[in-house]
Every structure is written in structure tokens, then in C-alpha cells.
Amino acid sequence: SGPLEEEAVIDRLAELGLKEAFWQLAASRYSYTEPNPSLLRFAMSLFATAIFRDDTEDMPSKWAPYKLSRVSNASVLLDNMKNSVLYQAAFDTMSREIADALEVKEVLPTMAVDKVLAISDVEEADRIIIDWMIERELAEDISAALAGKRIQEICDIRRRMHFGQKYRNEYDALDAGYKLLLASYFEPSEDFPVLVASYWTYDFENDRAYRRFIVALDRMDDAGPFSALQERLESIYQTEYLEKIMYAWNQSIANHGLGTFFPLQRNFYRDKVKPMKSKVAVIISDAFRYEAAMDLVGRMHRNENLEVHVEAMMTSLPSVTEVGMASLLPHDEMTMQEDYTVLLDGKPCASTPQREKILQAANPHSRAISYADLRGHMSSKELKALTAGLEVLYIYHNAVDITGEGGPTEDKVFEGVETAVNEVYDMIDKLSRSGNVYFFIVTADHGFSYTRRAVPPSDKLEKEVREPGTYTGRRFMLADADYSREGVYAIPLGDSLGCEDKRFIMLPKGASVFKAGGGMNYVHGGASPQEMIVPCFSVHAKRGIIETRKTGLILVSNINKITNLMVHLDFLQEEAVSDTVKPLDARIHFEADDGELISNEVIHVADSTTVDPKERMFRLRFDIKRKAYNQDKKYYLRVIDSKRNAVVLERQVMIDLPFTDDYGF
């Protein structure tokens, strides 16, 4: 403990009479010899050698005095420290101290960046690579690569390295940022059915990438280096994607109306709930837009006991809570009063008790409950009592809208999204395990549009119409007459609600907002895929536990004999990760039959979901210790399941390394 310069450990060894033995061991095992050895210079030698393990000839001249001939032993020692739960913290402390002593911040930037890609011993390598990727994304260079690897692959590689968790937010932001760069080439279809289908199939990924970029940015300790990139990506997202898709969406509605080619939210109960033959829980999460719900789908796919079928619906206009919540209930006619409250067949439906009455009129074995109330009945006994005798259970959840509409919390709306994903998932898990509910439908009343950058004055539309009876929201305006103008169009309100209402709803043709109360960054109510396309996911929770297995690893390389201190091996992840095939957290190394590690230990998580075997292949590097090997001993390559501490793959190897004993030349 303590700074290496203080040599407290050496002093303790001296007290025990082991100081000379320690330095003899450093000389024989790592080739560290100096007239006046020091712990700091020994550590500096280990790090300098390990950093340039691939080619010590590239080592800068100022580090030449620290070059060790036993490169593999130095690499093995540091790699095993990094991978050890016991020594990781000590390694991090030592790494920072040695980085200062070696003046790493001055030395590494003089190297070619692709040479830095493999370095994991000092944090400066991560900073250099991150800065390089920021620069490439600022230049909108989507073909940028290091050592043949594109930005997304680099992010994945670095996240798996030692300091990857510390810089995870930076890598997540760059990964999402790269996806946003592709939005520069976005061109929406002019055909409304194609536009709708392409959004819920793949265009939603742009909104998800933007959300993930902002979330990663907010979680950084220092987002300063990303400020210019944030401005660039905000511009791309808003100008090249959001404005284009919203304009195409609204132009189609203005020219052809809403149409009925896509499942409509107002038919939800008739088409989805009423036909159910088993007890069903309908989870309605306020403002849980489609792209956000796809994160929930990804999580459910990893649960072997859940089957999910992905669908989507289109809301009515205006895309607000009052209309969306009403649309999801059983009804023949939806109408809007002069005060803009919504009635279903003449009955109010704004509160949970009012909604329950409407549900029970359609099916007496129904109940409506808020998530807050459900959370208070989460014991198994209470859940069974709550759901006993029910056929339909509506659960009203609110994590996104309450955050986005919360004024000071508007900028935390994406955190609300993550809360929604976790809470809805936990609801399904708990109800299926303890509440005797095995069928679920997850949906939302409406979506939302959100951008972090301040809305420019040019995108704020004047109300202009101030007549009595006119209502203006941030993304729509309701009035008795058609007040269309440049950039604003109107459709009959009755066409949207499916009634005879003769009033008009005015909508911006792009991403503009009307000047109204509340925040301007988190908005809904208007016409856009982000606001109108909502999830409609059917989930089946299987009874009992489905047997699962972990994927395996297959050694592709043919290795019977080790003749080199550096070994590269190709592996194949045996199966793609799926509902029933789980990832394998593996520790891979070479060891003797008495348990002595003779190589670095590589940590690898086999979690690929691709079905193409070629994309599940990967290569790992091992540094073999330079030492005398006993031909009477047996040596093995071993792959260990970290969670079970069990060997899942073993291959015996011979070691034939001439001149590796302590006296060889």
C-alpha cells in the first residue's frame, strides 16, 4: 500500500529478510536488473514493456531504459492483476501512478492511433481513442476505421477492456452518435403506408439512437469534450431526420387523411382485448413511445419464460392523454365536449374509477388500477387476491409523461423512459410469477417528441386565433373554423375521433410548436410518428421455468504444441444467444496441471445474438510466461464458466519453447 516511491513493501520484505530474494525473482522472472533496483522503476518497466508488448521495437527512446526482455511475463502479470477481483483496485492505483511517472500523456499521443487500440494498461489509451472517434464523428466520417475496425466495433472492443466500464458512457455516446450520423442520408417516403411501415420497422432506430446519446451524455462526469459533437448530432437529428420525417408525415395526412390501413388505437379493445380467451393484463404506460418500448422488447427477449409479439398502433389526433386513454377503452362513440373533455358513449373517462365502470359495462370481470396502487399489493397473496376472478385488468402507469411534463424535470424525460422500461418489465415478471396472470398487452396513450437543444424562435408558431372556444396546445390547435396558413394545415376533428364533430384540428407541417404554456422541448399532441405510433405488444408468460443452457465455445484453431511466447487462437461461439440460450462469461487461460497460470487470463463474454456463425468467431491473444517448462508436467488451455467456476472446454498442449530457462540464450 502507499505510493511506490515510498517502497513500504520493500521495507517490509527487508524486515523479513526477503528483500534480496524479491529482487532475484524480479531478475529471473521479468529480467529486471539494475545496480540500485527500485519498486517504482520495476513497475515502470513492467508497464512500459506491456504497453508495447506487440512490438517492443516501437517503444519510444525515452522508455528504452525500462524495456524488459521477458515481455510475455510482464504482460501476463499485469493482465492477471487487471482480471483479479482481489487486485483490480490496486492495479488501477498503480496504473495512474505509473502513467504519471512514464509521462504517458506525452508519449502515447505520438503513436499511431491504431497502435493504441490494443492498449488496456493505462487510461490514456481510452482518452486517445475516444478523442479520435469524436473527431471522426465531427467530420461525419462514417467509414473511419482503426486496424480495420469501424467505430461501433471499436466501442464494443473498448467497452470489454479493463477501463471500459469507467468510460462506458463515452463509448455508448459514440456508438449512438455513429448511428445518428447515418440519419444524414435519411429520405422519407412520400407514400404514407410505406412511411408508417418503415418507421415502426427501422426508422425508429434514429429516435432511439438520439435518446441513448443524450442519456450517455447526461451520465458522464465531464461531457465537455462532447459539446461540439452534441451540437453537430443535434443538428443532424433535427434537420436531416426529424424535420424531414415530420413534414412527410403531415404532408401525407394533409393530402390523403389519416387512412385506415394501419391498426387504429380507437379499435384497441374491440380488436385486441375482447377476443382474448384468457385473463389478460393491459399495461398502459403514459407516453411510452414505440422506440422506447422496443428496449422493453429486447429485455423480454432475454427472458426464457416470456414470448413477445411486436405490433404497433396509430393514435387519434390530438395525440394527448385525454384522447389516447379514452381510445383504449371499450366504446362505440368517442366525442369531445366544448371544454375539450372526452366522453365515451356519453360517459366520462378521465379518472381510473370512471374507466373501471366503462370496462365493467363491457365485461363485469374487469378492473382498472393505477400502478401506484398495484405497487402497494405486491405480495403473492395480495396479487392473487387482486386478480382472482378477473378476465381483464387495466393497469395505468406513468413514468415518462409525468417527468416530461414536470417543468424542471423536462430534461430528465429520457431517464423517465428507462424507469418505465424497468417498472413495466418488473410488473409483468411479478404478475406472471405471483398473480396468476400469463397474458399481457403493453401499450401507451400517445408518444412524444423531445430534443435537448432549445427550440429556435423560427419554430415557435404564433397562436393568431384567439376566439372564444379555441384551444391551443404546443403541437395542435382546436377551433370551430379552418385556420390553415403557411406551415399549418387542418383536418376535421371528427375524422380523427371517428365521430361527427365538425370542428377542426390545426397541425404544424413540421417539427414546429405553437406558443403555449409549459416546456417546448418535450411535446406531444401533434402529428408525427414519434407522437402517434404507439406499441401494442402481446406478451405470453409461460408457466413454469423453461430449461435454458449457456452457449459454448469451440476452439477453431488447431493447437497441440506451443512453440511461441505469443499465441493467437480463434474461437467460435457455439450458439447465438436467444430466449433459451444464455451468454457465457468465460475466463480463458493456459495453466499447468498443478494449477499454476502460465499465461495471461482473458475475460470474454460470449453474448452474440447473430445467427451467422462467421460473425460469432473471434480471436484472442495469449502471452505465455517465459520460464523453464517441465516436460513431465501437463499443460492445458482451459475455458472456465466464471459464474459456476467450472471448466467448459479443455485442451491439453505440449510446450516446446527452447532457450526459455533462466540460463538460456
Side-chain angles (χ1 to χ4, degrees), residues 306 369 448 554:
L306 297 178
I369 188 172
F448 67 90
I554 296 173

Side-chain angles (χ1 to χ4, degrees), residues 38 94 101 140 245 264 366 380 422 474-475 520 531 561:
S38 81
M94 185 167 64
E140 300 184 30
I245 197 168
L264 298 180
S366 300
S380 296
N422 292 331
R474 281 164 290 177
R475 287 278 294 155
M520 292 290 186
E531 296 161 281
K561 182 185 293 187

Side-chain angles (χ1 to χ4, degrees), residues 52-112:
F52 285 89
R53 67 185 73 182
D54 288 329
D55 191 352
T56 54
E57 298 304 315
D58 283 345
M59 187 180 289
S61 57
K62 67 187 305 181
W63 285 8
Y66 306 110
K67 183 176 178 180
L68 301 176
S69 61
R70 302 209 161 186
V71 179
S72 61
N73 288 12
S75 301
V76 169
L77 175 64
L78 294 188
D79 282 353
N80 290 342
M81 280 189 71
K82 281 183 292 190
N83 295 336
S84 168
V85 175
L86 295 176
Y87 301 116
Q88 279 178 352
F91 175 87
D92 291 351
T93 300
M94 185 167 64
S95 174
R96 288 190 293 270
E97 186 176 348
I98 298 305
D100 289 339
L102 287 174
E103 298 180 336
V104 164
K105 289 184 179 180
E106 287 72 43
V107 173
L108 287 196
T110 65
M111 296 173 57

Side-chain angles (χ1 to χ4, degrees), residues 186 188 195 198-207 241 245:
F186 177 74
L195 185 62
S198 64
Y199 180 78
W200 82 287
T201 305
Y202 45 81
D203 288 339
F204 75 88
E205 292 282 8
N206 293 313
D207 298 304
Y241 169 68
I245 197 168

Side-chain angles (χ1 to χ4, degrees), residues 140-348:
E140 300 184 30
D141 183 2
I142 61 173
S143 62
L146 289 176
K149 296 174 175 61
R150 298 285 179 90
I151 285 176
Q152 286 184 284
E153 190 177 358
I154 293 170
C155 290
D156 187 54
I157 290 171
R158 295 302 303 187
R159 271 189 292 246
R160 295 170 186 265
M161 288 187 172
H162 180 68
F163 291 107
Q165 279 302 111
K166 179 171 183 178
Y167 292 97
R168 184 173 190 89
N169 295 324
E170 284 79 358
Y171 291 123
D172 285 351
L174 288 160
D175 192 350
Y178 180 83
K179 293 171 186 171
L180 276 178
L181 286 179
L182 302 179
S184 297
Y185 305 94
F186 177 74
E187 290 298 334
S189 172
E190 295 180 2
D191 185 288
F192 197 34
V194 173
L195 185 62
V196 173
S198 64
Y199 180 78
W200 82 287
T201 305
Y202 45 81
D203 288 339
F204 75 88
E205 292 282 8
N206 293 313
D207 298 304
R208 182 154 69 171
Y210 178 74
R211 171 170 57 85
R212 289 179 172 176
F213 177 78
I214 295 296
V215 166
L217 211 64
D218 287 346
R219 289 177 176 171
M220 291 180 198
D221 294 330
D222 178 16
F226 282 78
S227 57
L229 180 59
Q230 180 185 359
E231 184 65 27
R232 179 68 52 84
L233 294 175
E234 291 267 16
S235 178
I236 290 172
Y237 177 68
Q238 293 181 44
T239 306
E240 300 300 327
Y241 169 68
L242 209 56
E243 187 65 41
K244 285 182 179 180
I245 197 168
M246 285 190 177
Y247 184 83
W249 189 273
N250 283 277
Q251 192 66 36
S252 293
I253 294 174
N255 292 338
H256 308 293
L258 288 167
T260 57
F261 58 89
F262 199 69
L264 298 180
Q265 186 187 51
R266 66 176 188 249
N267 299 327
F268 170 75
Y269 187 90
R270 183 196 72 191
D271 294 345
K272 298 296 180 183
V273 181
K274 190 175 180 179
M276 292 292 294
K277 303 301 182 185
S278 302
K279 182 187 302 181
V280 61
V282 177
I283 300 173
I284 304 168
S285 187
D286 202 326
F288 196 37
R289 70 180 183 180
Y290 180 79
E291 66 82 13
M294 288 302 287
D295 278 8
L296 174 64
V297 170
R299 188 169 174 186
M300 289 191 293
H301 276 319
R302 293 190 291 273
N303 185 331
E304 64 274 12
N305 289 316
L306 297 178
E307 287 181 352
V308 57
H309 178 64
V310 177
E311 289 186 302
M313 301 184 298
M314 189 184 297
T315 70
S316 299
L317 289 168
S319 51
V320 292
T321 297
E322 296 82 355
V323 174
M325 291 297 186
S327 297
L328 294 166
L329 290 166
H331 65 278
D332 292 320
E333 183 181 48
M334 181 178 359
T335 55
M336 184 178 285
Q337 300 294 91
E338 291 299 320
D339 63 357
Y340 300 103
T341 59
V342 177
L343 301 180
L344 295 178
D345 302 324
K347 298 171 185 175

